[in-house]
Amino acid sequence: MPKGTPLTEEEQEKRRHEIFHKVVNVFLKKGFQETSMREIAEAAGLGKSTLYDYFKTKDEILIYFFEDQLNDLTAEAQRIALQNMDADQRLRQIMEMHLEFLVENKNLFLKLSIEAQRLKLESQKRIQNGRYAYQDLLRGLIEEGIREGAFRKVDPLLAARLLVHIMAPVVFASRPTGTPQEMLKETLDIFLKGLQV
Amino acid sequence: MPKGTPLTEEEQEKRRHEIFHKVVNVFLKKGFQETSMREIAEAAGLGKSTLYDYFKTKDEILIYFFEDQLNDLTAEAQRIALQNMDADQRLRQIMEMHLEFLVENKNLFLKLSIEAQRLKLESQKRIQNGRYAYQDLLRGLIEEGIREGAFRKVDPLLAARLLVHIMAPVVFASRPTGTPQEMLKETLDIFLKGLQV
DNA sequence: ACTGAAAACGACCAGCGTTCGCTTTTATTG
DNA sequence: CAATAAAAGCGAACGCTGGTCGTTTTCAGT
């Protein structure tokens, strides 16, 4: 990495990605909050203040993670939403994908999404914009289902939000009553039955 | 408050309650995380280290709040659960009470429950025990409903957990689509319909 | 080879939660 | 009523934190 040359925004982004990847294991072991900027810098093989050239604050590191992940999640959901199936089937498929997504990096997402709730309101809003994109996609599907007559005339945004929120007890249950997949199925059975006409 | 006399555990508890009450407004204005122990001590009219005689750590102050509130909530729910009504009616009534409870001190509960998620895992577990008592009470009602044939044979613990979790989007929605009461009604309509045979 | 500018850095800062050793207060005792 | 023991109360001090600043290192373009 040459020094005297300015990095393009793209290169900086790539660098952020690299840095985050080098540090992920520390977050997994110690948690984000409990990891100091000194430790993060060391794990990334950087001087402490160099870290600040890539992330303006410590919180920015967490925000970076979520913006990155939510982009991926929404893109994948969009792909499913465009398929040629009943709305409720697509909803199911999206939530299964969502679950897979969460389970894959379960510890990471569990740890970091808990810690994300402690960010300053302004930081939360940035993450929230990403969430909204996802929520609105689900809402679109629910509206479609209502239009098609498959669902009752429920408040589509509220229903979309419920859908997102019921993922938590499925993935993060501290007293699980089955595999996440089983719990998701049961949950969707309840939820989608509740939506039906 | 005499000095040379040891306080009984009961007196200490009362003192903790007093202290918390004196400080509540600071938490409401600044948030818990952003309020330093120095400020807390000042608001309580105590020396900084005297505070530590009543709360072993800063987090303990937050834990105290939740244990206190969850006790009240569960006691109230228990009262409703014992009434002579259909299980789903009692569930509805409990959730309405729960909502009222949250709305009443909305700002406090909103602020503090967000900040509570940042506590150390061990501290969270103590709060969780309180949550379990409440969850199990709801589970009991759902089991009753199943036995009576009003509900399908769903996983009662999972359903109870869902019920608790759907409160969040109702009370804490950043894009609300109605009054909390309206949103709760719609939410319960979906949820309870999903439970029906 | 020189130079300007960006990258990298470690010493430093204010403020944090928490601890410690000391002072103040008072119910009990002789 | 004086002496005492023990708890309540306290502020200074500690080790740490996230974040800043002035300097040094590095290199592309001349």
Side-chain angles (χ1 to χ4, degrees):
Chain A
M1 208 59 50
K3 281 190 181 177
T5 4
L7 297 180
T8 66
E9 174 54 37
E10 214 172 291
E11 286 168 321
Q12 285 208 3
E13 165 60 26
K14 202 179 147 196
R15 204 98 167 63
R16 270 192 283 273
H17 206 87
E18 278 172 23
I19 293 173
F20 189 90
H21 242 74
K22 280 187 187 159
V23 177
V24 143
N25 286 321
V26 184
F27 290 156
L28 274 173
K29 210 184 328 178
K30 295 197 55 174
F32 176 77
Q33 162 84 348
E34 290 73 22
T35 307
S36 73
M37 284 301 261
R38 284 153 184 83
E39 292 171 294
I40 294 174
E42 195 179 350
L46 295 172
K48 184 159 66 68
S49 51
T50 305
L51 210 49
Y52 280 89
D53 291 337
Y54 293 98
F55 299 98
K56 261 174 288 188
T57 66
K58 189 188 180 189
D59 286 355
E60 205 84 10
I61 299 178
L62 208 50
I63 296 172
Y64 170 82
F65 169 74
F66 280 101
E67 289 191 331
D68 204 46
Q69 298 277 299
L70 281 169
N71 275 346
D72 288 359
L73 190 64
T74 305
E76 194 64 18
Q78 192 99 46
R79 208 182 50 72
I80 296 173
L82 292 173
Q83 285 179 8
N84 189 20
M85 304 167 70
D86 286 349
D88 67 329
Q89 280 309 306
R90 276 176 288 164
L91 278 177
R92 253 181 212 276
Q93 210 173 320
I94 287 175
M95 298 322 283
E96 279 161 15
M97 180 276 292
H98 188 153
L99 176 64
E100 206 179 317
F101 192 89
L102 290 177
V103 168
E104 227 168 61
N105 47 61
K106 177 173 177 172
N107 293 317
L108 185 60
F109 216 95
L110 169 58
K111 279 205 134 124
L112 297 192
S113 54
I114 286 175
E115 311 211 41
Q117 300 197 265
R118 161 200 69 76
L119 297 175
K120 296 199 202 325
L121 223 93
E122 202 175 306
S123 308
Q124 299 234 28
K125 272 188 187 145
R126 276 182 51 200
I127 295 179
Q128 222 159 33
N129 284 333
R131 279 193 225 278
Y132 285 166
Y134 185 65
Q135 248 178 40
D136 288 342
L137 194 143
L138 295 178
R139 177 180 61 175
L141 277 177
I142 291 167
E143 281 169 349
E144 219 178 295
I146 295 174
R147 249 183 283 119
E148 288 170 358
F151 295 154
R152 293 188 293 122
K153 271 194 175 159
V154 297
D155 174 349
L157 180 54
L158 174 62
R161 213 157 36 213
L162 290 176
L163 201 49
V164 174
H165 272 81
I166 57 182
M167 291 303 288
V170 169
V171 189
F172 303 146
S174 54
R175 300 188 293 179
T177 52
T179 68
Q181 284 77 14
E182 286 165 356
M183 290 167 69
L184 176 62
K185 184 183 179 311
E186 174 110 285
T187 299
L188 288 175
D189 284 348
I190 293 175
F191 182 80
L192 291 176
K193 187 172 190 307
L195 286 188
Q196 278 161 24
V197 286
Chain B
M1 206 63 45
K3 281 188 182 178
T5 6
L7 297 179
T8 66
E9 175 55 34
E10 215 172 295
E11 285 169 321
Q12 285 210 2
E13 166 60 26
K14 202 179 148 199
R15 204 99 166 63
R16 270 191 284 271
H17 205 86
E18 279 173 23
I19 293 174
F20 190 89
H21 243 74
K22 279 187 188 161
V23 177
V24 142
N25 287 321
V26 185
F27 290 156
L28 274 174
K29 210 184 328 176
K30 297 198 49 171
F32 176 77
Q33 162 84 349
E34 290 72 23
T35 307
S36 73
M37 285 301 264
R38 284 153 183 85
E39 292 171 294
I40 294 174
E42 195 180 349
L46 294 174
K48 188 159 56 69
S49 51
T50 306
L51 210 48
Y52 280 87
D53 292 335
Y54 293 98
F55 300 98
K56 260 173 288 185
T57 65
K58 189 187 182 191
D59 286 353
E60 205 85 10
I61 299 177
L62 208 50
I63 296 173
Y64 170 81
F65 169 74
F66 281 100
E67 289 190 333
D68 204 45
Q69 297 278 298
L70 280 169
N71 274 348
D72 288 0
L73 190 64
T74 304
E76 193 64 17
Q78 192 100 49
R79 209 183 48 72
I80 297 173
L82 292 174
Q83 284 178 8
N84 190 19
M85 305 167 69
D86 286 350
D88 68 328
Q89 281 307 309
R90 277 176 288 164
L91 278 178
R92 253 181 210 279
Q93 210 174 318
I94 287 175
M95 296 325 281
E96 279 160 14
M97 178 276 291
H98 187 153
L99 177 64
E100 205 179 318
F101 192 90
L102 290 178
V103 169
E104 227 168 61
N105 48 60
K106 178 174 178 173
N107 292 320
L108 185 60
F109 216 94
L110 170 57
K111 277 204 137 123
L112 297 192
S113 55
I114 285 176
E115 311 213 42
Q117 299 198 266
R118 168 197 64 76
L119 297 174
K120 297 201 203 321
L121 222 94
E122 202 176 307
S123 306
Q124 300 236 28
K125 275 192 186 141
R126 275 183 50 199
I127 295 180
Q128 221 157 33
N129 284 334
R131 280 194 224 280
Y132 285 166
Y134 186 65
Q135 250 176 39
D136 288 342
L137 194 142
L138 295 179
R139 179 180 60 174
L141 277 177
I142 291 167
E143 281 169 349
E144 218 177 294
I146 295 174
R147 248 183 282 116
E148 289 170 358
F151 294 154
R152 294 188 291 122
K153 269 194 177 159
V154 298
D155 174 349
L157 180 54
L158 174 62
R161 211 155 42 210
L162 290 176
L163 201 50
V164 175
H165 272 81
I166 57 183
M167 291 303 287
V170 169
V171 189
F172 302 147
S174 54
R175 301 186 293 179
T177 51
T179 68
Q181 284 76 14
E182 286 164 357
M183 289 168 69
L184 176 63
K185 184 183 178 310
E186 172 108 288
T187 298
L188 288 176
D189 284 349
I190 293 176
F191 182 81
L192 291 176
K193 186 171 189 307
L195 286 187
Q196 277 160 26
V197 286

